[in-house]
Amino acid sequence: MNDTFRPAVLRPMHYVILALLALATFLPGFTTIPPFDRDESRFAQATRQMLETHDFVSIRFQDEARNKKPVGIHWLQSATVTAVQAVTGDHDPETTPIWAYRLPSLIGAVTAVLLTAWAGQLLFGATAGFGAGLLMAVSVLLSVEARMAKTDAVLLATVVAAMGALGRIYLDRRKPLPPTWGLTLTFWVALGVGILIKGPVILLPVLGSIVTLGFADRDWSWLKGLRPVPGLAIVLAMVLPWAIAIAVATKGQFFADAIGHEFLGKVNSGQEKHAGPPGYYLITFWLSFWPGSLLVGLGAAWAWRRRHDDAVRFCLAWIVPTWLIFEAVATKLPHYVLPTFPALAFLGMAALLSRIDAKAAAGRSSTQGTLNQPTTAGRIGRWAVVFVYLVITVALAILGAGAPLRLEGTNLPAGFVAGALALATGIAFVVLERIGCLKRLTLAVAAGGALSMITILGLVMPSLKAMWLSPTIAQAVADHRLCPTTVLAASGYTEPSMVFLVGTKTKLGEPDMVANHLADDPGCGLALVRDKEEPAFAAQLAARGLSPELIKHFRGFNYSRGSWANLALYRAGAPVNAPAPQTPADQVPADQPKPATPQP
């Protein structure tokens, strides 16, 4: 077993262990968590429409062009959905479950874990690589991204592949022999795939590290090892065909929107209210990379002291420019800095191994032990890191245990288990890191981190029915469908997950649009209206001579907006102000007076 925790070189067994750990962490909840809002549902719905229309060039969400990200993730999702349909025999895109669209993210996340171990071995040795892969496999953010049908898990795999090859080429720059073609091809192919997945985002760590190292070392000659001429030809051959096709299909509008609005627009303003101050990622990182954030925090000072070592220098060049750019950008989401996490994991593991080795050496030499005593500032910094880490651990435990009580009004045993596991894992990690026992530390973080993610994401989250409004709405629409051609129109709740679950033809808009929908199709149409829009909807419907007939009420937590929502499902009721049936005068009962004859 000791060979597993301090291997001289990574063997297939180590990659199998990491793959099994990653799958054990990522799979619970993979098929049971409903579609997330908003990005996941938009990506999945756009892929579904590709399969419905057989147009694999243009990207659309309903009737709107989705000129935001390149097509790569949609091609991967189309492939996995088609494979699932072939296995199940159900070829209707409308009925294919969300997990079929998530498969590329799952594969990308597991691949990213394995590539982290591979790249870590190239930079810091097998032990650091294995440990870094382990930290990635149980991290909070990657556990979430593996369960979401979007770009970031696949992008991470391409970044780690490209940066691992680039790092090895940088470390070998003084060797007489050029880099192998395997490393060069890995770099350029990963770069091409990354561009097809998320456009220029992969260039931030790649070009950021190249430029930083070039100026810091005042040496650019090592870039010859990348073989840039054939490499760029490979990337262009991968990217240009679709780039030309989408430019022709949209008359250039895709690049105007994707670069001008989506990419550059995030620099100046927080899109969709996703804004945050500088330092946002320094705060969110403690949770997003939990439980490994402890090692990164404790290893920061060590990494700065070793910044002249080639491997550490390369990791800092990988992290710092990308991190600073995202801190400066107005739009902020926790997953934006995910491409830097493998490098942070490398430094955290390398710092831990260095401290363990120094402690072992100190035990053999009293002089060495005296020289390695931490300074007062070092001790204060260490306790500050531990304090912040434990605060985040307690917050995660409270979240796991308290979310069911807050959203469902009841206690879930799984919630208490999740909270207890998170708390125990965090405390054990702190204690075992201090003791410096690598074997126990590895087992604790693997078991505790994985079980925490399994219970929180696999058991607690799917059970929070209040936050999954769209599945409830979709079930109600299915139960009360008036005709085979019934279409739902909605106002006040327009989340993409509802479109994915109810159907592509679902209409989203204002109360007057919903009223028009019922008036145009009173026998089959359905309407979903939030309580705030009900007066306007009822007035608009009355103006068209109809009244709303209530079918069902809904109440749930719209987490995309951060507020509770009261919704109602309607159909068109009886016409308002309809003339009463007329009774002929000769049929009026004798005890009632006959109506007066109108005077001219």
Side-chain angles (χ1 to χ4, degrees):
M1 291 295 292
N2 288 334
D3 179 61
T4 302
F5 299 98
R6 292 300 292 257
V9 63
L10 290 181
R11 299 185 177 90
M13 174 191 68
H14 298 107
Y15 290 106
V16 169
I17 291 172
L18 289 173
L20 292 176
L21 176 65
L23 288 171
T25 305
F26 301 154
L27 280 176
F30 184 78
T31 61
T32 56
I33 295 176
F36 283 97
D37 283 309
R38 295 184 172 103
D39 279 352
E40 178 184 40
S41 295
R42 286 170 176 160
F43 278 108
Q45 177 61 29
T47 300
R48 169 181 285 173
Q49 291 179 216
M50 281 187 171
L51 293 167
E52 290 173 339
T53 63
H54 302 289
D55 178 358
F56 294 96
V57 174
S58 300
I59 306 167
R60 305 189 71 81
F61 180 84
Q62 295 190 301
D63 295 329
E64 178 184 354
R66 185 166 164 77
N67 297 333
K68 294 177 178 291
K69 304 292 190 298
V71 77
I73 194 65
H74 298 291
W75 285 348
L76 294 176
Q77 290 176 356
S78 297
T80 57
V81 169
T82 302
V84 170
Q85 291 174 343
V87 172
T88 61
D90 183 357
H91 297 278
D92 183 2
E94 291 277 348
T95 59
T96 303
I98 185 63
W99 62 263
Y101 297 83
R102 291 172 174 166
L103 285 172
S105 293
L106 175 66
I107 296 169
V110 175
T111 303
V113 169
L114 301 180
L115 287 172
T116 296
W118 167 77
Q121 177 177 237
L122 295 180
L123 295 173
F124 291 98
T127 304
F130 182 78
L134 187 149
L135 294 178
M136 291 294 293
V138 299
S139 63
V140 170
L141 185 55
L142 189 56
S143 296
V144 173
E145 292 296 338
R147 294 168 168 86
M148 299 183 73
K150 46 199 284 288
T151 57
D152 295 283
V154 178
L155 174 70
L156 178 64
T158 65
V159 169
V160 183
M163 295 301 291
L166 184 66
R168 187 67 258 176
I169 291 172
Y170 175 73
L171 265 59
D172 292 344
R173 66 192 184 280
R174 298 185 183 90
K175 292 184 178 180
L177 296 176
T180 64
W181 270 101
L183 282 176
T184 303
L185 289 175
T186 297
F187 173 80
W188 290 110
V189 171
L191 191 64
V193 175
I195 291 173
L196 281 173
I197 294 295
K198 206 169 181 178
V201 174
I202 191 174
L203 299 179
L204 293 179
V206 170
L207 292 183
S209 59
I210 288 175
V211 171
T212 301
L213 293 170
F215 280 109
D217 298 342
R218 297 192 178 100
D219 177 20
W220 304 85
S221 60
W222 63 278
L223 296 176
K224 296 177 183 177
L226 291 176
R227 300 177 174 93
V229 173
L232 288 172
I234 291 171
V235 173
L236 291 176
M238 296 174 66
V239 175
L240 270 184
W242 176 78
I244 294 172
I246 193 64
V248 171
T250 64
K251 299 180 180 179
Q253 191 61 41
F254 176 87
F255 294 103
D257 292 344
I259 297 175
H261 179 265
E262 175 69 8
F263 189 70
L264 296 180
K266 291 180 177 179
V267 175
N268 298 319
S269 61
Q271 293 185 354
E272 296 190 12
K273 301 181 181 180
H274 297 314
Y280 171 91
Y281 294 109
L282 286 177
I283 298 171
T284 58
F285 170 78
W286 292 95
L287 176 60
S288 57
F289 196 56
W290 187 93
S293 50
L294 173 68
L295 295 186
V296 177
L298 294 176
W302 175 90
W304 180 250
R305 290 195 303 269
R306 300 293 186 93
R307 63 188 180 277
H308 297 295
D309 294 353
D310 281 353
V312 175
R313 194 178 188 83
F314 178 79
C315 286
L316 292 176
W318 177 347
I319 298 164
V320 175
T322 301
W323 195 285
L324 291 178
I325 288 171
F326 281 125
E327 288 285 15
V329 169
T331 302
K332 289 183 170 65
L333 284 169
H335 66 262
Y336 283 1
V337 293
L338 180 61
T340 67
F341 281 14
L344 290 164
F346 299 153
L347 295 179
M349 280 302 304
L352 172 67
L353 295 173
S354 177
R355 194 179 72 79
I356 291 175
D357 292 342
K359 185 176 180 181
R364 297 189 296 268
S365 171
S366 58
T367 303
Q368 182 70 20
T370 302
L371 292 175
N372 280 329
Q373 288 298 317
T375 63
T376 301
R379 286 193 293 268
I380 293 174
R382 175 184 176 82
W383 284 112
V385 168
V386 171
F387 174 77
V388 172
Y389 179 77
L390 289 177
V391 168
I392 296 298
T393 299
V394 171
L396 182 62
I398 293 174
L399 177 65
L405 184 61
R406 175 70 179 88
L407 295 177
E408 301 295 320
T410 185
N411 296 319
L412 290 179
F416 286 108
V417 172
L421 280 170
L423 190 61
T425 299
I427 294 173
F429 206 6
V430 170
V431 173
L432 293 172
E433 191 281 334
R434 183 61 180 170
I435 294 173
C437 178
L438 183 62
K439 181 177 180 179
R440 293 177 182 175
L441 183 69
T442 303
L443 290 174
V445 70
L451 289 174
S452 297
M453 294 303 99
I454 289 169
T455 51
I456 293 175
L457 299 176
L459 298 178
V460 176
M461 184 169 284
S463 302
L464 302 178
K465 303 300 182 184
M467 68 179 288
W468 306 119
L469 265 171
S470 292
T472 305
I473 294 167
Q475 185 60 53
V477 170
D479 292 341
H480 299 279
R481 187 175 294 276
L482 304 173
C483 310
T485 58
T486 290
V487 172
L488 175 71
S491 178
Y493 182 81
T494 57
E495 298 301 336
S497 60
M498 182 175 64
V499 176
F500 180 83
L501 292 172
V502 176
T504 302
K505 295 180 180 179
T506 303
K507 298 180 179 180
L508 310 176
E510 299 300 322
D512 58 340
M513 181 278 295
V514 178
N516 279 332
H517 173 69
L518 288 192
D520 293 341
D521 191 12
C524 296
L526 291 176
L528 180 75
V529 183
R530 190 171 180 176
D531 54 355
K532 295 180 180 179
E533 278 74 26
E534 280 184 353
F537 162 70
Q540 293 282 350
L541 197 59
R544 291 158 177 79
L546 295 172
S547 64
E549 180 182 319
L550 177 67
I551 296 176
K552 189 172 184 178
H553 269 299
F554 308 94
R555 175 174 168 78
F557 185 71
N558 186 352
Y559 56 89
S560 295
R561 296 179 180 268
S563 61
W564 288 88
N566 293 299
L567 308 170
L569 184 67
Y570 291 102
R571 59 175 295 176
V576 296
N577 300 322
Q582 298 296 316
T583 305
D586 59 357
Q587 294 182 13
V588 176
D591 58 345
Q592 293 187 17
K594 292 185 178 182
T597 301
Q599 299 296 322

